[in-house]
PDB file of all heavy atoms in Angstrom:
ATOM      1  N   VAL A  67      80.023  85.677 118.728  1.00 97.00           N
ATOM      2  CA  VAL A  67      79.999  87.048 119.130  1.00 97.00           C
ATOM      3  C   VAL A  67      79.982  87.147 120.627  1.00 97.00           C
ATOM      4  O   VAL A  67      80.271  88.228 121.207  1.00 97.00           O
ATOM      5  CB  VAL A  67      78.870  87.893 118.540  1.00 97.00           C
ATOM      6  CG1 VAL A  67      78.943  87.923 116.998  1.00 97.00           C
ATOM      7  CG2 VAL A  67      77.516  87.372 118.976  1.00 97.00           C
ATOM      8  N   VAL A  76      74.686  83.281 116.957  1.00 98.00           N
ATOM      9  CA  VAL A  76      75.104  84.576 116.422  1.00 98.00           C
ATOM     10  C   VAL A  76      76.635  84.551 116.235  1.00 98.00           C
ATOM     11  O   VAL A  76      77.345  84.382 117.216  1.00 98.00           O
ATOM     12  CB  VAL A  76      74.633  85.759 117.234  1.00 98.00           C
ATOM     13  CG1 VAL A  76      75.005  87.090 116.518  1.00 98.00           C
ATOM     14  CG2 VAL A  76      73.164  85.699 117.465  1.00 98.00           C
ATOM     15  N   VAL A  77      77.071  84.725 115.020  1.00 98.00           N
ATOM     16  CA  VAL A  77      78.517  84.696 114.729  1.00 98.00           C
ATOM     17  C   VAL A  77      78.931  85.902 113.930  1.00 98.00           C
ATOM     18  O   VAL A  77      78.118  86.562 113.273  1.00 98.00           O
ATOM     19  CB  VAL A  77      78.914  83.409 113.960  1.00 98.00           C
ATOM     20  CG1 VAL A  77      78.655  82.169 114.744  1.00 98.00           C
ATOM     21  CG2 VAL A  77      78.211  83.376 112.579  1.00 98.00           C
ATOM     22  N   GLU A  78      80.212  86.160 114.023  1.00 98.00           N
ATOM     23  CA  GLU A  78      80.861  87.178 113.141  1.00 98.00           C
ATOM     24  C   GLU A  78      81.778  86.399 112.220  1.00 98.00           C
ATOM     25  O   GLU A  78      82.450  85.477 112.648  1.00 98.00           O
ATOM     26  CB  GLU A  78      81.665  88.181 113.963  1.00 98.00           C
ATOM     27  CG  GLU A  78      82.311  89.236 113.101  1.00 98.00           C
ATOM     28  CD  GLU A  78      82.963  90.373 113.882  1.00 98.00           C
ATOM     29  OE1 GLU A  78      83.066  90.260 115.138  1.00 98.00           O
ATOM     30  OE2 GLU A  78      83.382  91.323 113.240  1.00 98.00           O
ATOM     31  N   HIS A  79      81.752  86.715 110.988  1.00 98.00           N
ATOM     32  CA  HIS A  79      82.563  85.991 110.044  1.00 98.00           C
ATOM     33  C   HIS A  79      83.696  86.841 109.480  1.00 98.00           C
ATOM     34  O   HIS A  79      83.650  88.037 109.468  1.00 98.00           O
ATOM     35  CB  HIS A  79      81.730  85.404 108.911  1.00 98.00           C
ATOM     36  CG  HIS A  79      81.422  86.360 107.816  1.00 98.00           C
ATOM     37  ND1 HIS A  79      80.496  87.332 107.977  1.00 98.00           N
ATOM     38  CD2 HIS A  79      81.934  86.545 106.599  1.00 98.00           C
ATOM     39  CE1 HIS A  79      80.421  88.067 106.884  1.00 98.00           C
ATOM     40  NE2 HIS A  79      81.315  87.591 106.029  1.00 98.00           N
ATOM     41  N   THR A 111      72.201  84.046 112.865  1.00 98.00           N
ATOM     42  CA  THR A 111      72.593  85.387 112.470  1.00 98.00           C
ATOM     43  C   THR A 111      74.085  85.432 112.208  1.00 98.00           C
ATOM     44  O   THR A 111      74.887  84.976 113.011  1.00 98.00           O
ATOM     45  CB  THR A 111      72.228  86.406 113.559  1.00 98.00           C
ATOM     46  OG1 THR A 111      70.800  86.374 113.803  1.00 98.00           O
ATOM     47  CG2 THR A 111      72.631  87.880 113.177  1.00 98.00           C
ATOM     48  N   ILE A 112      74.411  86.032 111.061  1.00 98.00           N
ATOM     49  CA  ILE A 112      75.817  86.217 110.680  1.00 98.00           C
ATOM     50  C   ILE A 112      76.101  87.739 110.595  1.00 98.00           C
ATOM     51  O   ILE A 112      75.321  88.433 109.953  1.00 98.00           O
ATOM     52  CB  ILE A 112      76.138  85.593 109.323  1.00 98.00           C
ATOM     53  CG1 ILE A 112      75.737  84.132 109.297  1.00 98.00           C
ATOM     54  CG2 ILE A 112      77.595  85.811 108.930  1.00 98.00           C
ATOM     55  CD1 ILE A 112      75.828  83.484 107.887  1.00 98.00           C
ATOM     56  N   GLN A 113      77.061  88.142 111.327  1.00 98.00           N
ATOM     57  CA  GLN A 113      77.440  89.579 111.356  1.00 98.00           C
ATOM     58  C   GLN A 113      78.810  89.741 110.764  1.00 98.00           C
ATOM     59  O   GLN A 113      79.615  88.800 110.739  1.00 98.00           O
ATOM     60  CB  GLN A 113      77.503  90.069 112.794  1.00 98.00           C
ATOM     61  CG  GLN A 113      76.205  90.053 113.567  1.00 98.00           C
ATOM     62  CD  GLN A 113      76.363  90.512 114.963  1.00 98.00           C
ATOM     63  OE1 GLN A 113      77.455  90.722 115.494  1.00 98.00           O
ATOM     64  NE2 GLN A 113      75.229  90.719 115.645  1.00 98.00           N
ATOM     65  N   THR A 114      79.107  91.004 110.323  1.00 97.00           N
ATOM     66  CA  THR A 114      80.436  91.367 109.985  1.00 97.00           C
ATOM     67  C   THR A 114      80.579  92.839 110.256  1.00 97.00           C
ATOM     68  O   THR A 114      79.607  93.619 110.236  1.00 97.00           O
ATOM     69  CB  THR A 114      80.783  91.010 108.520  1.00 97.00           C
ATOM     70  OG1 THR A 114      82.191  91.195 108.313  1.00 97.00           O
ATOM     71  CG2 THR A 114      80.022  91.882 107.520  1.00 97.00           C
ATOM     72  N   SER A 115      81.804  93.248 110.548  1.00 97.00           N
ATOM     73  CA  SER A 115      82.124  94.639 110.832  1.00 97.00           C
ATOM     74  C   SER A 115      83.181  95.053 109.857  1.00 97.00           C
ATOM     75  O   SER A 115      84.275  94.488 109.878  1.00 97.00           O
ATOM     76  CB  SER A 115      82.574  94.757 112.278  1.00 97.00           C
ATOM     77  OG  SER A 115      82.753  96.092 112.638  1.00 97.00           O
ATOM     78  N   LEU A 116      82.845  96.033 108.991  1.00 97.00           N
ATOM     79  CA  LEU A 116      83.737  96.395 107.926  1.00 97.00           C
ATOM     80  C   LEU A 116      84.137  97.861 108.018  1.00 97.00           C
ATOM     81  O   LEU A 116      83.353  98.696 108.421  1.00 97.00           O
ATOM     82  CB  LEU A 116      83.071  96.129 106.560  1.00 97.00           C
ATOM     83  CG  LEU A 116      82.598  94.736 106.311  1.00 97.00           C
ATOM     84  CD1 LEU A 116      81.755  94.690 105.025  1.00 97.00           C
ATOM     85  CD2 LEU A 116      83.768  93.741 106.207  1.00 97.00           C
ATOM     86  N   PHE A 117      85.319  98.185 107.556  1.00 97.00           N
ATOM     87  CA  PHE A 117      85.686  99.578 107.419  1.00 97.00           C
ATOM     88  C   PHE A 117      84.865 100.215 106.323  1.00 97.00           C
ATOM     89  O   PHE A 117      84.699  99.560 105.266  1.00 97.00           O
ATOM     90  CB  PHE A 117      87.180  99.737 107.109  1.00 97.00           C
ATOM     91  CG  PHE A 117      88.096  99.373 108.261  1.00 97.00           C
ATOM     92  CD1 PHE A 117      89.165  98.516 108.036  1.00 97.00           C
ATOM     93  CD2 PHE A 117      87.949  99.887 109.533  1.00 97.00           C
ATOM     94  CE1 PHE A 117      90.049  98.133 109.046  1.00 97.00           C
ATOM     95  CE2 PHE A 117      88.814  99.523 110.556  1.00 97.00           C
ATOM     96  CZ  PHE A 117      89.834  98.665 110.308  1.00 97.00           C
ATOM     97  N   PRO A 118      84.362 101.416 106.509  1.00 97.00           N
ATOM     98  CA  PRO A 118      83.540 102.030 105.454  1.00 97.00           C
ATOM     99  C   PRO A 118      84.262 102.179 104.152  1.00 97.00           C
ATOM    100  O   PRO A 118      83.674 102.209 103.088  1.00 97.00           O
ATOM    101  CB  PRO A 118      83.143 103.378 106.058  1.00 97.00           C
ATOM    102  CG  PRO A 118      83.606 103.423 107.434  1.00 97.00           C
ATOM    103  CD  PRO A 118      84.454 102.216 107.687  1.00 97.00           C
ATOM    104  N   ILE A 124      81.721  95.636 101.296  1.00 97.00           N
ATOM    105  CA  ILE A 124      80.397  96.094 101.635  1.00 97.00           C
ATOM    106  C   ILE A 124      79.421  95.661 100.506  1.00 97.00           C
ATOM    107  O   ILE A 124      78.364  95.092 100.715  1.00 97.00           O
ATOM    108  CB  ILE A 124      80.311  97.583 101.887  1.00 97.00           C
ATOM    109  CG1 ILE A 124      81.024  97.958 103.231  1.00 97.00           C
ATOM    110  CG2 ILE A 124      78.855  98.082 101.951  1.00 97.00           C
ATOM    111  CD1 ILE A 124      81.219  99.399 103.514  1.00 97.00           C
ATOM    112  N   HIS A 127      78.770  91.906 100.507  1.00 97.00           N
ATOM    113  CA  HIS A 127      77.825  91.475 101.546  1.00 97.00           C
ATOM    114  C   HIS A 127      76.410  91.948 101.248  1.00 97.00           C
ATOM    115  O   HIS A 127      75.465  91.195 101.442  1.00 97.00           O
ATOM    116  CB  HIS A 127      78.326  91.996 102.947  1.00 97.00           C
ATOM    117  CG  HIS A 127      79.473  91.244 103.425  1.00 97.00           C
ATOM    118  ND1 HIS A 127      80.772  91.547 103.058  1.00 97.00           N
ATOM    119  CD2 HIS A 127      79.509  90.154 104.203  1.00 97.00           C
ATOM    120  CE1 HIS A 127      81.580  90.650 103.624  1.00 97.00           C
ATOM    121  NE2 HIS A 127      80.849  89.841 104.357  1.00 97.00           N
ATOM    122  N   GLU A 128      76.234  93.134 100.766  1.00 97.00           N
ATOM    123  CA  GLU A 128      74.895  93.582 100.422  1.00 97.00           C
ATOM    124  C   GLU A 128      74.289  92.742  99.299  1.00 97.00           C
ATOM    125  O   GLU A 128      73.105  92.421  99.350  1.00 97.00           O
ATOM    126  CB  GLU A 128      74.895  95.051 100.059  1.00 97.00           C
ATOM    127  CG  GLU A 128      75.109  95.937 101.332  1.00 97.00           C
ATOM    128  CD  GLU A 128      75.176  97.422 101.052  1.00 97.00           C
ATOM    129  OE1 GLU A 128      75.462  97.821  99.862  1.00 97.00           O
ATOM    130  OE2 GLU A 128      74.951  98.184 101.998  1.00 97.00           O
ATOM    131  N   PHE A 132      72.998  90.805 103.107  1.00 98.00           N
ATOM    132  CA  PHE A 132      73.336  91.447 104.355  1.00 98.00           C
ATOM    133  C   PHE A 132      72.788  92.887 104.345  1.00 98.00           C
ATOM    134  O   PHE A 132      72.699  93.507 103.309  1.00 98.00           O
ATOM    135  CB  PHE A 132      74.859  91.550 104.598  1.00 98.00           C
ATOM    136  CG  PHE A 132      75.480  90.262 105.042  1.00 98.00           C
ATOM    137  CD1 PHE A 132      75.619  89.169 104.190  1.00 98.00           C
ATOM    138  CD2 PHE A 132      75.899  90.120 106.368  1.00 98.00           C
ATOM    139  CE1 PHE A 132      76.194  88.013 104.632  1.00 98.00           C
ATOM    140  CE2 PHE A 132      76.506  88.895 106.792  1.00 98.00           C
ATOM    141  CZ  PHE A 132      76.636  87.844 105.896  1.00 98.00           C
ATOM    142  N   ARG A 133      72.368  93.370 105.514  1.00 98.00           N
ATOM    143  CA  ARG A 133      71.867  94.744 105.575  1.00 98.00           C
ATOM    144  C   ARG A 133      72.725  95.495 106.631  1.00 98.00           C
ATOM    145  O   ARG A 133      73.224  94.893 107.598  1.00 98.00           O
ATOM    146  CB  ARG A 133      70.411  94.792 106.020  1.00 98.00           C
ATOM    147  CG  ARG A 133      70.142  94.276 107.442  1.00 98.00           C
ATOM    148  CD  ARG A 133      68.651  94.281 107.747  1.00 98.00           C
ATOM    149  NE  ARG A 133      68.478  93.903 109.147  1.00 98.00           N
ATOM    150  CZ  ARG A 133      68.275  94.728 110.157  1.00 98.00           C
ATOM    151  NH1 ARG A 133      68.252  95.994 109.976  1.00 98.00           N
ATOM    152  NH2 ARG A 133      68.190  94.281 111.396  1.00 98.00           N
ATOM    153  N   GLN A 134      72.929  96.776 106.325  1.00 97.00           N
ATOM    154  CA  GLN A 134      73.644  97.615 107.284  1.00 97.00           C
ATOM    155  C   GLN A 134      72.750  97.900 108.427  1.00 97.00           C
ATOM    156  O   GLN A 134      71.602  98.353 108.259  1.00 97.00           O
ATOM    157  CB  GLN A 134      74.121  98.899 106.592  1.00 97.00           C
ATOM    158  CG  GLN A 134      75.228  98.671 105.582  1.00 97.00           C
ATOM    159  CD  GLN A 134      75.872 100.000 105.150  1.00 97.00           C
ATOM    160  OE1 GLN A 134      75.903 100.963 105.819  1.00 97.00           O
ATOM    161  NE2 GLN A 134      76.408  99.957 103.902  1.00 97.00           N
ATOM    162  N   VAL A 135      73.232  97.647 109.604  1.00 97.00           N
ATOM    163  CA  VAL A 135      72.445  97.960 110.844  1.00 97.00           C
ATOM    164  C   VAL A 135      72.981  99.153 111.636  1.00 97.00           C
ATOM    165  O   VAL A 135      72.415  99.579 112.572  1.00 97.00           O
ATOM    166  CB  VAL A 135      72.303  96.728 111.743  1.00 97.00           C
ATOM    167  CG1 VAL A 135      71.455  95.651 111.078  1.00 97.00           C
ATOM    168  CG2 VAL A 135      73.639  96.202 112.195  1.00 97.00           C
ATOM    169  N   GLY A 136      74.168  99.648 111.223  1.00 97.00           N
ATOM    170  CA  GLY A 136      74.694 100.824 111.895  1.00 97.00           C
ATOM    171  C   GLY A 136      76.093 101.050 111.583  1.00 97.00           C
ATOM    172  O   GLY A 136      76.810 100.273 110.963  1.00 97.00           O
ATOM    173  N   ARG A 137      76.527 102.217 112.038  1.00 97.00           N
ATOM    174  CA  ARG A 137      77.943 102.616 111.916  1.00 97.00           C
ATOM    175  C   ARG A 137      78.490 102.894 113.331  1.00 97.00           C
ATOM    176  O   ARG A 137      77.847 103.627 114.102  1.00 97.00           O
ATOM    177  CB  ARG A 137      78.048 103.869 111.083  1.00 97.00           C
ATOM    178  CG  ARG A 137      79.498 104.344 110.840  1.00 97.00           C
ATOM    179  CD  ARG A 137      79.504 105.584 110.006  1.00 97.00           C
ATOM    180  NE  ARG A 137      80.860 105.993 109.710  1.00 97.00           N
ATOM    181  CZ  ARG A 137      81.365 106.098 108.510  1.00 97.00           C
ATOM    182  NH1 ARG A 137      80.610 105.798 107.450  1.00 97.00           N
ATOM    183  NH2 ARG A 137      82.594 106.460 108.300  1.00 97.00           N
ATOM    184  N   ARG A 138      79.553 102.249 113.652  1.00 97.00           N
ATOM    185  CA  ARG A 138      80.198 102.453 114.960  1.00 97.00           C
ATOM    186  C   ARG A 138      81.350 103.413 114.751  1.00 97.00           C
ATOM    187  O   ARG A 138      82.335 103.089 114.083  1.00 97.00           O
ATOM    188  CB  ARG A 138      80.631 101.134 115.533  1.00 97.00           C
ATOM    189  CG  ARG A 138      79.410 100.227 115.717  1.00 97.00           C
ATOM    190  CD  ARG A 138      79.712  98.920 116.382  1.00 97.00           C
ATOM    191  NE  ARG A 138      80.617  98.097 115.588  1.00 97.00           N
ATOM    192  CZ  ARG A 138      81.061  96.913 115.920  1.00 97.00           C
ATOM    193  NH1 ARG A 138      80.758  96.413 117.102  1.00 97.00           N
ATOM    194  NH2 ARG A 138      81.834  96.221 115.157  1.00 97.00           N
ATOM    195  N   GLU A 139      81.223 104.639 115.300  1.00 97.00           N
ATOM    196  CA  GLU A 139      82.208 105.672 115.123  1.00 97.00           C
ATOM    197  C   GLU A 139      83.324 105.507 116.129  1.00 97.00           C
ATOM    198  O   GLU A 139      83.101 105.235 117.308  1.00 97.00           O
ATOM    199  CB  GLU A 139      81.528 107.066 115.261  1.00 97.00           C
ATOM    200  CG  GLU A 139      80.518 107.290 114.219  1.00 97.00           C
ATOM    201  CD  GLU A 139      79.806 108.621 114.294  1.00 97.00           C
ATOM    202  OE1 GLU A 139      80.076 109.327 115.358  1.00 97.00           O
ATOM    203  OE2 GLU A 139      79.039 108.954 113.391  1.00 97.00           O
ATOM    204  N   ILE A 141      85.383 103.241 116.883  1.00 96.00           N
ATOM    205  CA  ILE A 141      85.177 102.053 117.720  1.00 96.00           C
ATOM    206  C   ILE A 141      86.500 101.448 118.224  1.00 96.00           C
ATOM    207  O   ILE A 141      86.528 100.883 119.306  1.00 96.00           O
ATOM    208  CB  ILE A 141      84.373 100.961 116.918  1.00 96.00           C
ATOM    209  CG1 ILE A 141      83.949  99.787 117.835  1.00 96.00           C
ATOM    210  CG2 ILE A 141      85.099 100.421 115.724  1.00 96.00           C
ATOM    211  CD1 ILE A 141      82.870 100.182 118.796  1.00 96.00           C
ATOM    212  N   ASP A 150      86.224 103.989 112.138  1.00 97.00           N
ATOM    213  CA  ASP A 150      84.811 103.627 112.217  1.00 97.00           C
ATOM    214  C   ASP A 150      84.640 102.264 111.534  1.00 97.00           C
ATOM    215  O   ASP A 150      85.470 101.844 110.724  1.00 97.00           O
ATOM    216  CB  ASP A 150      83.998 104.597 111.371  1.00 97.00           C
ATOM    217  CG  ASP A 150      83.991 106.039 111.917  1.00 97.00           C
ATOM    218  OD1 ASP A 150      84.564 106.282 113.034  1.00 97.00           O
ATOM    219  OD2 ASP A 150      83.374 106.907 111.258  1.00 97.00           O
ATOM    220  N   THR A 151      83.553 101.607 111.880  1.00 97.00           N
ATOM    221  CA  THR A 151      83.165 100.413 111.162  1.00 97.00           C
ATOM    222  C   THR A 151      81.697 100.431 110.820  1.00 97.00           C
ATOM    223  O   THR A 151      80.890 101.094 111.536  1.00 97.00           O
ATOM    224  CB  THR A 151      83.466  99.067 111.942  1.00 97.00           C
ATOM    225  OG1 THR A 151      82.736  99.133 113.198  1.00 97.00           O
ATOM    226  CG2 THR A 151      84.956  98.925 112.187  1.00 97.00           C
ATOM    227  N   VAL A 152      81.326  99.730 109.822  1.00 98.00           N
ATOM    228  CA  VAL A 152      79.930  99.534 109.443  1.00 98.00           C
ATOM    229  C   VAL A 152      79.556  98.127 109.853  1.00 98.00           C
ATOM    230  O   VAL A 152      80.239  97.171 109.501  1.00 98.00           O
ATOM    231  CB  VAL A 152      79.747  99.732 107.888  1.00 98.00           C
ATOM    232  CG1 VAL A 152      78.299  99.455 107.516  1.00 98.00           C
ATOM    233  CG2 VAL A 152      80.158 101.127 107.471  1.00 98.00           C
ATOM    234  N   LEU A 153      78.473  97.988 110.608  1.00 98.00           N
ATOM    235  CA  LEU A 153      78.041  96.657 111.028  1.00 98.00           C
ATOM    236  C   LEU A 153      76.943  96.183 110.109  1.00 98.00           C
ATOM    237  O   LEU A 153      75.928  96.878 109.859  1.00 98.00           O
ATOM    238  CB  LEU A 153      77.451  96.762 112.475  1.00 98.00           C
ATOM    239  CG  LEU A 153      76.958  95.460 113.113  1.00 98.00           C
ATOM    240  CD1 LEU A 153      78.064  94.449 113.241  1.00 98.00           C
ATOM    241  CD2 LEU A 153      76.325  95.727 114.459  1.00 98.00           C
ATOM    242  N   LEU A 154      77.145  95.004 109.563  1.00 98.00           N
ATOM    243  CA  LEU A 154      76.183  94.366 108.666  1.00 98.00           C
ATOM    244  C   LEU A 154      75.765  93.052 109.261  1.00 98.00           C
ATOM    245  O   LEU A 154      76.567  92.409 109.915  1.00 98.00           O
ATOM    246  CB  LEU A 154      76.765  94.133 107.256  1.00 98.00           C
ATOM    247  CG  LEU A 154      77.149  95.370 106.497  1.00 98.00           C
ATOM    248  CD1 LEU A 154      78.605  95.695 106.599  1.00 98.00           C
ATOM    249  CD2 LEU A 154      76.789  95.196 105.000  1.00 98.00           C
ATOM    250  N   GLU A 155      74.515  92.634 108.949  1.00 98.00           N
ATOM    251  CA  GLU A 155      74.086  91.337 109.468  1.00 98.00           C
ATOM    252  C   GLU A 155      73.168  90.674 108.462  1.00 98.00           C
ATOM    253  O   GLU A 155      72.545  91.350 107.625  1.00 98.00           O
ATOM    254  CB  GLU A 155      73.412  91.454 110.815  1.00 98.00           C
ATOM    255  CG  GLU A 155      72.013  92.041 110.792  1.00 98.00           C
ATOM    256  CD  GLU A 155      71.318  91.946 112.097  1.00 98.00           C
ATOM    257  OE1 GLU A 155      71.935  91.686 113.167  1.00 98.00           O
ATOM    258  OE2 GLU A 155      70.116  92.215 112.095  1.00 98.00           O
ATOM    259  N   LEU A 156      73.098  89.350 108.570  1.00 98.00           N
ATOM    260  CA  LEU A 156      72.156  88.554 107.799  1.00 98.00           C
ATOM    261  C   LEU A 156      71.470  87.630 108.722  1.00 98.00           C
ATOM    262  O   LEU A 156      72.089  86.837 109.448  1.00 98.00           O
ATOM    263  CB  LEU A 156      72.908  87.737 106.721  1.00 98.00           C
ATOM    264  CG  LEU A 156      72.010  86.815 105.880  1.00 98.00           C
ATOM    265  CD1 LEU A 156      71.121  87.661 104.977  1.00 98.00           C
ATOM    266  CD2 LEU A 156      72.904  85.882 105.007  1.00 98.00           C
ATOM    267  N   ARG A 157      70.119  87.719 108.760  1.00 97.00           N
ATOM    268  CA  ARG A 157      69.293  86.818 109.603  1.00 97.00           C
ATOM    269  C   ARG A 157      68.909  85.669 108.683  1.00 97.00           C
ATOM    270  O   ARG A 157      68.408  85.833 107.628  1.00 97.00           O
ATOM    271  CB  ARG A 157      68.032  87.535 110.115  1.00 97.00           C
ATOM    272  CG  ARG A 157      68.328  88.698 111.047  1.00 97.00           C
ATOM    273  CD  ARG A 157      68.761  88.152 112.413  1.00 97.00           C
ATOM    274  NE  ARG A 157      69.216  89.209 113.235  1.00 97.00           N
ATOM    275  CZ  ARG A 157      68.467  89.855 114.118  1.00 97.00           C
ATOM    276  NH1 ARG A 157      67.213  89.526 114.280  1.00 97.00           N
ATOM    277  NH2 ARG A 157      68.991  90.809 114.860  1.00 97.00           N
TER     278      ARG A 157
END
Side-chain angles (χ1 to χ4, degrees):
V67 299
V76 183
V77 297
E78 182 172 7
H79 81 284
T111 299
I112 304 170
Q113 299 177 349
T114 191
S115 187
L116 304 171
F117 290 130
I124 291 171
H127 286 84
E128 288 178 339
F132 283 72
R133 67 182 183 99
Q134 289 191 27
V135 294
R137 182 181 183 118
R138 299 184 295 179
E139 296 178 353
I141 190 71
D150 295 356
T151 60
V152 176
L153 180 63
L154 294 97
E155 74 173 14
L156 179 66
R157 296 286 172 94

